[in-house]
Amino acid sequence: MRLDRIVLREIHLPLKHFFETSFGRVYERHVVLVEINSDGLTGWGECVAAEGPYYSYETVSTAWSILSELILPRLVDQSIQHPDEFGVMFRAIRGHHMARAAVESSLWDLWSRFQGLSLWKALGGELQQIACGVSIGIQDHPDLLLEKIDQEVKAGYRKIKIKIKPGWDLEIVKLVRRNYPEIPLMVDANSAYSLKDRDLFAALDDFGLLMIEQPLRYDDLLDHSKLQALIKTPLCLDESIRHLDDARHAIELGSCRIINIKMGRVGGHSEARRIHDLCRSRNVPVWCGGMLETGIGRAHNIAVSTLPGFVIPGDVSASQRYYHRDTIHPPIEVSRDGFICAPLQSGLGYDPDSEWIEQITLRRQVFC
Ligand code: OSB
Ligand code: MG
């Protein structure tokens, strides 16, 4: 594939409702998109970096600068045989996995189109029905949280994840469990706690949670292993797993029993698949997390979720939960019983809505 032309864009989309985590509230998204053209075919990728450096040090601006200054000028006009060559070409760059994943995933989309294959099949996916869950942010009032849970349970979602932070944790879990004793429920702390809070996590053991996601520091493995040894509920790591070696270290240290794989966080599909393969060989269940992606990023997450080790419902919910009008059509929809069907078409399997994307583009840089 000769990479004839690459378009880097920043788009702007309001969220239907704000989304609050332990690190703050977002009302709208700025998203970096990558479009790569080759021989009349196009691949698309989305960068999961947020507006500010709170989930990770990467932001929309750092991704833009790494992509526009270092990666895309060197990539355009190159001929590559397989998306894996991208990782080799840019291995000297440290970190910036979200920026890289935007390009790597667009190369996978493009490459699978060249092969006439669905992206998910090109990745070795097997699951044609993907089980979906939802992630529900912190609300202004506990009653509003119960209302949201009610809505999502009725919509058929197979796992409910609620965000917690100090002051919105044990009492909230108690309240939710009192109203929903049976639902598959988990919490995500986004690194809001330390080992000093061990008693809180021990207390959460009584509520039959599927897991507790990323309770401690965003870059920690050791303290998580100490906490895991003290409690029964499985820990799941998100922020702490930046690449394959982090996953291996986490498993060997006993820092978690479940891993949240986000293709966009670990540098792309190839690394996500390596982490999946490792976890599978060590009997560690994985699931696919989300980062408030628009449809392009969601479609990539659907492809990832078809790998056989994705045995826990992911945060791969419908576009309409977040956006009035998405970047792809048809929008991603979830069946009444909480599944998404893997798409049949080649590549991503959803068409980017170019006209709409053009309308919401704030800046654009073309490499050719
Ligand atoms: O920790 O999984 C997370 C959203 C933004 C940043 C981090 C996270 C999240 C979510 C939302 O939980 C998942 C989704 O896209 O539905
Ligand atoms: Mg998380």
Side-chain angles (χ1 to χ4, degrees), residues 298-343:
R298 275 167 200 283
H300 278 287
N301 287 342
I302 289 171
V304 173
S305 307
T306 62
L307 294 172
F310 283 79
V311 294
I312 299 171
D315 288 344
V316 275
S317 49
S319 308
Q320 55 134 15
R321 289 188 65 245
Y322 291 115
Y323 301 104
H324 290 287
R325 183 168 172 188
D326 202 353
T327 52
I328 52 165
H329 44 121
I332 290 164
E333 283 176 24
V334 175
S335 69
R336 296 295 310 154
D337 56 349
F339 288 94
I340 294 176
C341 290

mmCIF file of all heavy atoms in Angstrom, residues 298-343:
data_model
loop_
_atom_site.group_PDB
_atom_site.id
_atom_site.type_symbol
_atom_site.label_atom_id
_atom_site.label_comp_id
_atom_site.label_asym_id
_atom_site.label_seq_id
_atom_site.Cartn_x
_atom_site.Cartn_y
_atom_site.Cartn_z
ATOM 1 N N ARG A 298 -15.386 3.811 18.080
ATOM 2 C CA ARG A 298 -16.267 2.726 18.541
ATOM 3 C C ARG A 298 -16.216 1.533 17.600
ATOM 4 O O ARG A 298 -16.208 0.394 18.040
ATOM 5 C CB ARG A 298 -17.729 3.194 18.569
ATOM 6 C CG ARG A 298 -18.089 3.878 19.780
ATOM 7 C CD ARG A 298 -19.400 4.616 19.704
ATOM 8 N NE ARG A 298 -19.237 5.523 20.773
ATOM 9 C CZ ARG A 298 -19.382 5.167 22.049
ATOM 10 N NH1 ARG A 298 -19.855 3.993 22.377
ATOM 11 N NH2 ARG A 298 -19.099 6.005 22.998
ATOM 12 N N ALA A 299 -16.214 1.817 16.297
ATOM 13 C CA ALA A 299 -16.167 0.732 15.316
ATOM 14 C C ALA A 299 -14.851 -0.047 15.467
ATOM 15 O O ALA A 299 -14.834 -1.281 15.379
ATOM 16 C CB ALA A 299 -16.311 1.298 13.902
ATOM 17 N N HIS A 300 -13.765 0.657 15.731
ATOM 18 C CA HIS A 300 -12.494 -0.042 15.986
ATOM 19 C C HIS A 300 -12.603 -0.902 17.241
ATOM 20 O O HIS A 300 -12.097 -2.020 17.286
ATOM 21 C CB HIS A 300 -11.345 0.965 16.125
ATOM 22 C CG HIS A 300 -10.786 1.427 14.804
ATOM 23 N ND1 HIS A 300 -9.996 0.616 14.013
ATOM 24 C CD2 HIS A 300 -10.911 2.596 14.126
ATOM 25 C CE1 HIS A 300 -9.642 1.270 12.908
ATOM 26 N NE2 HIS A 300 -10.197 2.484 12.945
ATOM 27 N N ASN A 301 -13.270 -0.368 18.272
ATOM 28 C CA ASN A 301 -13.414 -1.140 19.513
ATOM 29 C C ASN A 301 -14.273 -2.394 19.303
ATOM 30 O O ASN A 301 -14.031 -3.428 19.933
ATOM 31 C CB ASN A 301 -14.032 -0.272 20.614
ATOM 32 C CG ASN A 301 -13.043 0.753 21.148
ATOM 33 O OD1 ASN A 301 -11.829 0.614 20.953
ATOM 34 N ND2 ASN A 301 -13.545 1.779 21.808
ATOM 35 N N ILE A 302 -15.252 -2.286 18.424
ATOM 36 C CA ILE A 302 -16.075 -3.457 18.120
ATOM 37 C C ILE A 302 -15.208 -4.546 17.494
ATOM 38 O O ILE A 302 -15.293 -5.721 17.859
ATOM 39 C CB ILE A 302 -17.240 -3.068 17.184
ATOM 40 C CG1 ILE A 302 -18.245 -2.230 17.978
ATOM 41 C CG2 ILE A 302 -17.912 -4.297 16.568
ATOM 42 C CD1 ILE A 302 -19.332 -1.601 17.120
ATOM 43 N N ALA A 303 -14.341 -4.137 16.566
ATOM 44 C CA ALA A 303 -13.453 -5.112 15.914
ATOM 45 C C ALA A 303 -12.567 -5.806 16.956
ATOM 46 O O ALA A 303 -12.448 -7.042 16.969
ATOM 47 C CB ALA A 303 -12.615 -4.417 14.846
ATOM 48 N N VAL A 304 -11.979 -5.022 17.869
ATOM 49 C CA VAL A 304 -11.132 -5.592 18.923
ATOM 50 C C VAL A 304 -11.923 -6.605 19.759
ATOM 51 O O VAL A 304 -11.424 -7.683 20.105
ATOM 52 C CB VAL A 304 -10.624 -4.464 19.865
ATOM 53 C CG1 VAL A 304 -9.897 -5.039 21.067
ATOM 54 C CG2 VAL A 304 -9.737 -3.480 19.134
ATOM 55 N N SER A 305 -13.161 -6.256 20.059
ATOM 56 C CA SER A 305 -13.985 -7.067 20.969
ATOM 57 C C SER A 305 -14.385 -8.423 20.406
ATOM 58 O O SER A 305 -14.984 -9.224 21.124
ATOM 59 C CB SER A 305 -15.276 -6.323 21.327
ATOM 60 O OG SER A 305 -14.999 -5.048 21.808
ATOM 61 N N THR A 306 -14.091 -8.684 19.131
ATOM 62 C CA THR A 306 -14.438 -9.993 18.560
ATOM 63 C C THR A 306 -13.371 -11.044 18.838
ATOM 64 O O THR A 306 -13.575 -12.222 18.545
ATOM 65 C CB THR A 306 -14.646 -9.904 17.025
ATOM 66 O OG1 THR A 306 -13.427 -9.487 16.424
ATOM 67 C CG2 THR A 306 -15.767 -8.943 16.662
ATOM 68 N N LEU A 307 -12.215 -10.621 19.387
ATOM 69 C CA LEU A 307 -11.181 -11.618 19.728
ATOM 70 C C LEU A 307 -11.724 -12.519 20.843
ATOM 71 O O LEU A 307 -12.462 -12.054 21.727
ATOM 72 C CB LEU A 307 -9.886 -10.916 20.157
ATOM 73 C CG LEU A 307 -9.177 -10.116 19.044
ATOM 74 C CD1 LEU A 307 -8.019 -9.303 19.609
ATOM 75 C CD2 LEU A 307 -8.677 -11.025 17.932
ATOM 76 N N PRO A 308 -11.358 -13.804 20.818
ATOM 77 C CA PRO A 308 -12.043 -14.770 21.687
ATOM 78 C C PRO A 308 -11.853 -14.571 23.187
ATOM 79 O O PRO A 308 -12.667 -15.050 23.977
ATOM 80 C CB PRO A 308 -11.466 -16.121 21.237
ATOM 81 C CG PRO A 308 -10.211 -15.792 20.506
ATOM 82 C CD PRO A 308 -10.409 -14.444 19.905
ATOM 83 N N GLY A 309 -10.806 -13.847 23.605
ATOM 84 C CA GLY A 309 -10.591 -13.653 25.051
ATOM 85 C C GLY A 309 -11.466 -12.575 25.661
ATOM 86 O O GLY A 309 -11.461 -12.383 26.876
ATOM 87 N N PHE A 310 -12.239 -11.853 24.813
ATOM 88 C CA PHE A 310 -13.100 -10.775 25.332
ATOM 89 C C PHE A 310 -14.390 -11.368 25.872
ATOM 90 O O PHE A 310 -15.433 -11.327 25.240
ATOM 91 C CB PHE A 310 -13.356 -9.716 24.253
ATOM 92 C CG PHE A 310 -12.176 -8.801 24.049
ATOM 93 C CD1 PHE A 310 -11.078 -9.216 23.307
ATOM 94 C CD2 PHE A 310 -12.134 -7.548 24.637
ATOM 95 C CE1 PHE A 310 -9.964 -8.399 23.146
ATOM 96 C CE2 PHE A 310 -11.023 -6.715 24.490
ATOM 97 C CZ PHE A 310 -9.938 -7.153 23.733
ATOM 98 N N VAL A 311 -14.278 -11.934 27.070
ATOM 99 C CA VAL A 311 -15.380 -12.722 27.631
ATOM 100 C C VAL A 311 -16.264 -11.923 28.586
ATOM 101 O O VAL A 311 -17.266 -12.429 29.075
ATOM 102 C CB VAL A 311 -14.834 -13.975 28.353
ATOM 103 C CG1 VAL A 311 -14.179 -14.930 27.364
ATOM 104 C CG2 VAL A 311 -13.819 -13.589 29.431
ATOM 105 N N ILE A 312 -15.874 -10.688 28.865
ATOM 106 C CA ILE A 312 -16.681 -9.839 29.757
ATOM 107 C C ILE A 312 -17.267 -8.713 28.907
ATOM 108 O O ILE A 312 -16.555 -8.165 28.053
ATOM 109 C CB ILE A 312 -15.795 -9.260 30.891
ATOM 110 C CG1 ILE A 312 -15.212 -10.402 31.736
ATOM 111 C CG2 ILE A 312 -16.568 -8.271 31.764
ATOM 112 C CD1 ILE A 312 -14.160 -9.948 32.722
ATOM 113 N N PRO A 313 -18.557 -8.363 29.095
ATOM 114 C CA PRO A 313 -19.127 -7.276 28.283
ATOM 115 C C PRO A 313 -18.293 -6.001 28.387
ATOM 116 O O PRO A 313 -17.825 -5.636 29.466
ATOM 117 C CB PRO A 313 -20.514 -7.070 28.906
ATOM 118 C CG PRO A 313 -20.845 -8.359 29.582
ATOM 119 C CD PRO A 313 -19.530 -8.933 30.045
ATOM 120 N N GLY A 314 -18.075 -5.345 27.248
ATOM 121 C CA GLY A 314 -17.230 -4.145 27.211
ATOM 122 C C GLY A 314 -18.040 -2.865 27.361
ATOM 123 O O GLY A 314 -19.266 -2.893 27.430
ATOM 124 N N ASP A 315 -17.303 -1.735 27.404
ATOM 125 C CA ASP A 315 -17.961 -0.415 27.380
ATOM 126 C C ASP A 315 -18.145 -0.013 25.918
ATOM 127 O O ASP A 315 -17.699 1.055 25.493
ATOM 128 C CB ASP A 315 -17.091 0.645 28.079
ATOM 129 C CG ASP A 315 -17.052 0.492 29.596
ATOM 130 O OD1 ASP A 315 -17.916 -0.219 30.146
ATOM 131 O OD2 ASP A 315 -16.164 1.091 30.222
ATOM 132 N N VAL A 316 -18.765 -0.890 25.132
ATOM 133 C CA VAL A 316 -18.957 -0.579 23.711
ATOM 134 C C VAL A 316 -20.447 -0.379 23.453
ATOM 135 O O VAL A 316 -21.100 -1.234 22.898
ATOM 136 C CB VAL A 316 -18.393 -1.682 22.775
ATOM 137 C CG1 VAL A 316 -16.929 -1.494 22.508
ATOM 138 C CG2 VAL A 316 -18.638 -3.067 23.360
ATOM 139 N N SER A 317 -20.932 0.756 23.904
ATOM 140 C CA SER A 317 -22.369 0.995 23.844
ATOM 141 C C SER A 317 -22.753 1.761 22.589
ATOM 142 O O SER A 317 -21.902 2.105 21.771
ATOM 143 C CB SER A 317 -22.786 1.746 25.104
ATOM 144 O OG SER A 317 -21.935 2.845 25.324
ATOM 145 N N ALA A 318 -24.033 2.045 22.432
ATOM 146 C CA ALA A 318 -24.547 2.696 21.221
ATOM 147 C C ALA A 318 -24.086 4.149 21.114
ATOM 148 O O ALA A 318 -23.940 4.849 22.119
ATOM 149 C CB ALA A 318 -26.068 2.647 21.233
ATOM 150 N N SER A 319 -23.899 4.602 19.867
ATOM 151 C CA SER A 319 -23.507 5.998 19.602
ATOM 152 C C SER A 319 -24.461 6.978 20.253
ATOM 153 O O SER A 319 -24.067 8.025 20.768
ATOM 154 C CB SER A 319 -23.545 6.286 18.102
ATOM 155 O OG SER A 319 -22.824 5.350 17.370
ATOM 156 N N GLN A 320 -25.768 6.633 20.192
ATOM 157 C CA GLN A 320 -26.777 7.594 20.650
ATOM 158 C C GLN A 320 -26.737 7.865 22.150
ATOM 159 O O GLN A 320 -27.338 8.810 22.627
ATOM 160 C CB GLN A 320 -28.165 7.117 20.223
ATOM 161 C CG GLN A 320 -28.506 5.728 20.688
ATOM 162 C CD GLN A 320 -29.891 5.637 21.292
ATOM 163 O OE1 GLN A 320 -30.711 6.517 21.138
ATOM 164 N NE2 GLN A 320 -30.150 4.544 21.996
ATOM 165 N N ARG A 321 -26.003 7.051 22.926
ATOM 166 C CA ARG A 321 -25.856 7.378 24.346
ATOM 167 C C ARG A 321 -25.033 8.652 24.525
ATOM 168 O O ARG A 321 -25.163 9.353 25.506
ATOM 169 C CB ARG A 321 -25.165 6.245 25.110
ATOM 170 C CG ARG A 321 -26.017 5.010 25.272
ATOM 171 C CD ARG A 321 -25.376 4.001 26.204
ATOM 172 N NE ARG A 321 -25.261 4.498 27.562
ATOM 173 C CZ ARG A 321 -24.117 4.718 28.179
ATOM 174 N NH1 ARG A 321 -22.976 4.475 27.578
ATOM 175 N NH2 ARG A 321 -24.112 5.174 29.420
ATOM 176 N N TYR A 322 -24.133 8.920 23.578
ATOM 177 C CA TYR A 322 -23.219 10.058 23.739
ATOM 178 C C TYR A 322 -23.453 11.218 22.776
ATOM 179 O O TYR A 322 -23.231 12.364 23.123
ATOM 180 C CB TYR A 322 -21.769 9.578 23.587
ATOM 181 C CG TYR A 322 -21.314 8.705 24.725
ATOM 182 C CD1 TYR A 322 -20.978 7.364 24.535
ATOM 183 C CD2 TYR A 322 -21.236 9.229 26.012
ATOM 184 C CE1 TYR A 322 -20.554 6.566 25.597
ATOM 185 C CE2 TYR A 322 -20.822 8.441 27.076
ATOM 186 C CZ TYR A 322 -20.475 7.120 26.862
ATOM 187 O OH TYR A 322 -20.077 6.340 27.917
ATOM 188 N N TYR A 323 -23.847 10.889 21.521
ATOM 189 C CA TYR A 323 -23.881 11.931 20.490
ATOM 190 C C TYR A 323 -25.218 11.975 19.761
ATOM 191 O O TYR A 323 -25.802 10.940 19.481
ATOM 192 C CB TYR A 323 -22.761 11.667 19.456
ATOM 193 C CG TYR A 323 -21.402 11.648 20.108
ATOM 194 C CD1 TYR A 323 -20.739 10.438 20.346
ATOM 195 C CD2 TYR A 323 -20.815 12.833 20.542
ATOM 196 C CE1 TYR A 323 -19.504 10.424 20.985
ATOM 197 C CE2 TYR A 323 -19.580 12.830 21.179
ATOM 198 C CZ TYR A 323 -18.934 11.619 21.398
ATOM 199 O OH TYR A 323 -17.722 11.598 22.037
ATOM 200 N N HIS A 324 -25.665 13.206 19.445
ATOM 201 C CA HIS A 324 -26.880 13.359 18.644
ATOM 202 C C HIS A 324 -26.636 12.876 17.229
ATOM 203 O O HIS A 324 -27.452 12.188 16.639
ATOM 204 C CB HIS A 324 -27.318 14.835 18.620
ATOM 205 C CG HIS A 324 -27.836 15.299 19.941
ATOM 206 N ND1 HIS A 324 -29.057 14.905 20.418
ATOM 207 C CD2 HIS A 324 -27.297 16.102 20.887
ATOM 208 C CE1 HIS A 324 -29.259 15.461 21.611
ATOM 209 N NE2 HIS A 324 -28.197 16.182 21.915
ATOM 210 N N ARG A 325 -25.515 13.292 16.656
ATOM 211 C CA ARG A 325 -25.183 12.850 15.311
ATOM 212 C C ARG A 325 -23.740 12.365 15.327
ATOM 213 O O ARG A 325 -22.837 13.101 15.699
ATOM 214 C CB ARG A 325 -25.350 14.009 14.328
ATOM 215 C CG ARG A 325 -25.098 13.580 12.897
ATOM 216 C CD ARG A 325 -25.541 14.633 11.906
ATOM 217 N NE ARG A 325 -25.094 14.245 10.566
ATOM 218 C CZ ARG A 325 -25.186 15.014 9.510
ATOM 219 N NH1 ARG A 325 -25.718 16.216 9.601
ATOM 220 N NH2 ARG A 325 -24.756 14.584 8.329
ATOM 221 N N ASP A 326 -23.537 11.126 14.941
ATOM 222 C CA ASP A 326 -22.231 10.487 15.061
ATOM 223 C C ASP A 326 -21.388 10.716 13.804
ATOM 224 O O ASP A 326 -21.868 11.227 12.798
ATOM 225 C CB ASP A 326 -22.430 8.987 15.322
ATOM 226 C CG ASP A 326 -21.217 8.348 15.978
ATOM 227 O OD1 ASP A 326 -20.182 9.023 16.121
ATOM 228 O OD2 ASP A 326 -21.312 7.164 16.345
ATOM 229 N N THR A 327 -20.116 10.287 13.846
ATOM 230 C CA THR A 327 -19.208 10.469 12.704
ATOM 231 C C THR A 327 -19.344 9.352 11.666
ATOM 232 O O THR A 327 -18.639 9.372 10.663
ATOM 233 C CB THR A 327 -17.745 10.517 13.195
ATOM 234 O OG1 THR A 327 -17.496 9.359 14.021
ATOM 235 C CG2 THR A 327 -17.481 11.766 14.007
ATOM 236 N N ILE A 328 -20.169 8.357 11.941
ATOM 237 C CA ILE A 328 -20.341 7.266 10.984
ATOM 238 C C ILE A 328 -21.826 7.029 10.710
ATOM 239 O O ILE A 328 -22.669 7.439 11.496
ATOM 240 C CB ILE A 328 -19.772 5.929 11.523
ATOM 241 C CG1 ILE A 328 -20.342 5.652 12.916
ATOM 242 C CG2 ILE A 328 -18.263 5.906 11.510
ATOM 243 C CD1 ILE A 328 -20.127 4.243 13.362
ATOM 244 N N HIS A 329 -22.107 6.383 9.604
ATOM 245 C CA HIS A 329 -23.444 5.856 9.444
ATOM 246 C C HIS A 329 -23.369 4.454 8.860
ATOM 247 O O HIS A 329 -22.440 4.168 8.115
ATOM 248 C CB HIS A 329 -24.372 6.793 8.621
ATOM 249 C CG HIS A 329 -23.790 7.393 7.404
ATOM 250 N ND1 HIS A 329 -24.305 7.218 6.161
ATOM 251 C CD2 HIS A 329 -22.703 8.166 7.224
ATOM 252 C CE1 HIS A 329 -23.575 7.870 5.281
ATOM 253 N NE2 HIS A 329 -22.606 8.447 5.891
ATOM 254 N N PRO A 330 -24.277 3.547 9.192
ATOM 255 C CA PRO A 330 -25.312 3.772 10.193
ATOM 256 C C PRO A 330 -24.689 3.928 11.584
ATOM 257 O O PRO A 330 -23.588 3.447 11.803
ATOM 258 C CB PRO A 330 -26.147 2.492 10.105
ATOM 259 C CG PRO A 330 -25.188 1.443 9.647
ATOM 260 C CD PRO A 330 -24.249 2.136 8.741
ATOM 261 N N PRO A 331 -25.404 4.597 12.514
ATOM 262 C CA PRO A 331 -24.863 4.690 13.879
ATOM 263 C C PRO A 331 -24.805 3.304 14.523
ATOM 264 O O PRO A 331 -25.509 2.392 14.083
ATOM 265 C CB PRO A 331 -25.876 5.580 14.603
ATOM 266 C CG PRO A 331 -27.111 5.547 13.792
ATOM 267 C CD PRO A 331 -26.732 5.230 12.382
ATOM 268 N N ILE A 332 -23.963 3.159 15.529
ATOM 269 C CA ILE A 332 -23.842 1.855 16.187
ATOM 270 C C ILE A 332 -25.047 1.626 17.100
ATOM 271 O O ILE A 332 -25.376 2.473 17.926
ATOM 272 C CB ILE A 332 -22.516 1.776 16.959
ATOM 273 C CG1 ILE A 332 -21.374 1.699 15.932
ATOM 274 C CG2 ILE A 332 -22.485 0.573 17.904
ATOM 275 C CD1 ILE A 332 -20.018 1.981 16.462
ATOM 276 N N GLU A 333 -25.695 0.501 16.874
ATOM 277 C CA GLU A 333 -26.888 0.184 17.670
ATOM 278 C C GLU A 333 -26.725 -1.127 18.397
ATOM 279 O O GLU A 333 -26.016 -2.020 17.938
ATOM 280 C CB GLU A 333 -28.117 0.138 16.755
ATOM 281 C CG GLU A 333 -28.576 1.543 16.400
ATOM 282 C CD GLU A 333 -29.736 1.564 15.428
ATOM 283 O OE1 GLU A 333 -30.461 0.553 15.379
ATOM 284 O OE2 GLU A 333 -29.897 2.590 14.750
ATOM 285 N N VAL A 334 -27.414 -1.220 19.513
ATOM 286 C CA VAL A 334 -27.325 -2.399 20.364
ATOM 287 C C VAL A 334 -28.686 -3.079 20.379
ATOM 288 O O VAL A 334 -29.715 -2.410 20.466
ATOM 289 C CB VAL A 334 -26.892 -1.964 21.784
ATOM 290 C CG1 VAL A 334 -26.900 -3.127 22.751
ATOM 291 C CG2 VAL A 334 -25.512 -1.330 21.738
ATOM 292 N N SER A 335 -28.696 -4.420 20.279
ATOM 293 C CA SER A 335 -29.970 -5.144 20.244
ATOM 294 C C SER A 335 -30.666 -5.080 21.605
ATOM 295 O O SER A 335 -30.041 -4.743 22.613
ATOM 296 C CB SER A 335 -29.725 -6.600 19.863
ATOM 297 O OG SER A 335 -29.048 -7.244 20.913
ATOM 298 N N ARG A 336 -31.929 -5.459 21.630
ATOM 299 C CA ARG A 336 -32.720 -5.418 22.868
ATOM 300 C C ARG A 336 -32.097 -6.254 23.989
ATOM 301 O O ARG A 336 -32.355 -6.026 25.160
ATOM 302 C CB ARG A 336 -34.150 -5.955 22.612
ATOM 303 C CG ARG A 336 -34.982 -5.145 21.645
ATOM 304 C CD ARG A 336 -35.300 -3.757 22.155
ATOM 305 N NE ARG A 336 -35.841 -3.778 23.524
ATOM 306 C CZ ARG A 336 -35.736 -2.749 24.380
ATOM 307 N NH1 ARG A 336 -35.124 -1.656 24.008
ATOM 308 N NH2 ARG A 336 -36.249 -2.847 25.586
ATOM 309 N N ASP A 337 -31.304 -7.264 23.591
ATOM 310 C CA ASP A 337 -30.677 -8.079 24.640
ATOM 311 C C ASP A 337 -29.191 -7.742 24.833
ATOM 312 O O ASP A 337 -28.440 -8.518 25.416
ATOM 313 C CB ASP A 337 -30.899 -9.580 24.367
ATOM 314 C CG ASP A 337 -30.402 -10.007 23.003
ATOM 315 O OD1 ASP A 337 -30.071 -9.129 22.182
ATOM 316 O OD2 ASP A 337 -30.327 -11.227 22.764
ATOM 317 N N GLY A 338 -28.775 -6.546 24.335
ATOM 318 C CA GLY A 338 -27.448 -6.049 24.695
ATOM 319 C C GLY A 338 -26.269 -6.556 23.881
ATOM 320 O O GLY A 338 -25.161 -6.665 24.396
ATOM 321 N N PHE A 339 -26.510 -6.841 22.598
ATOM 322 C CA PHE A 339 -25.392 -7.262 21.739
ATOM 323 C C PHE A 339 -25.247 -6.350 20.528
ATOM 324 O O PHE A 339 -26.233 -5.771 20.053
ATOM 325 C CB PHE A 339 -25.616 -8.694 21.230
ATOM 326 C CG PHE A 339 -25.452 -9.752 22.293
ATOM 327 C CD1 PHE A 339 -26.554 -10.222 22.994
ATOM 328 C CD2 PHE A 339 -24.198 -10.266 22.579
ATOM 329 C CE1 PHE A 339 -26.407 -11.197 23.981
ATOM 330 C CE2 PHE A 339 -24.037 -11.243 23.558
ATOM 331 C CZ PHE A 339 -25.150 -11.706 24.259
ATOM 332 N N ILE A 340 -24.012 -6.254 20.022
ATOM 333 C CA ILE A 340 -23.764 -5.612 18.731
ATOM 334 C C ILE A 340 -23.282 -6.722 17.805
ATOM 335 O O ILE A 340 -22.448 -7.546 18.191
ATOM 336 C CB ILE A 340 -22.661 -4.523 18.846
ATOM 337 C CG1 ILE A 340 -23.143 -3.360 19.725
ATOM 338 C CG2 ILE A 340 -22.250 -4.019 17.468
ATOM 339 C CD1 ILE A 340 -22.090 -2.284 19.984
ATOM 340 N N CYS A 341 -23.827 -6.741 16.585
ATOM 341 C CA CYS A 341 -23.375 -7.729 15.595
ATOM 342 C C CYS A 341 -22.126 -7.207 14.919
ATOM 343 O O CYS A 341 -22.098 -6.056 14.475
ATOM 344 C CB CYS A 341 -24.428 -7.925 14.507
ATOM 345 S SG CYS A 341 -25.863 -8.764 15.090
ATOM 346 N N ALA A 342 -21.113 -8.047 14.770
ATOM 347 C CA ALA A 342 -19.916 -7.656 14.032
ATOM 348 C C ALA A 342 -20.335 -7.364 12.586
ATOM 349 O O ALA A 342 -21.127 -8.102 12.007
ATOM 350 C CB ALA A 342 -18.887 -8.774 14.092
ATOM 351 N N PRO A 343 -19.835 -6.264 11.999
ATOM 352 C CA PRO A 343 -20.303 -5.862 10.669
ATOM 353 C C PRO A 343 -19.795 -6.777 9.559
ATOM 354 O O PRO A 343 -18.771 -7.439 9.706
ATOM 355 C CB PRO A 343 -19.724 -4.456 10.507
ATOM 356 C CG PRO A 343 -18.545 -4.411 11.403
ATOM 357 C CD PRO A 343 -18.841 -5.326 12.552
#
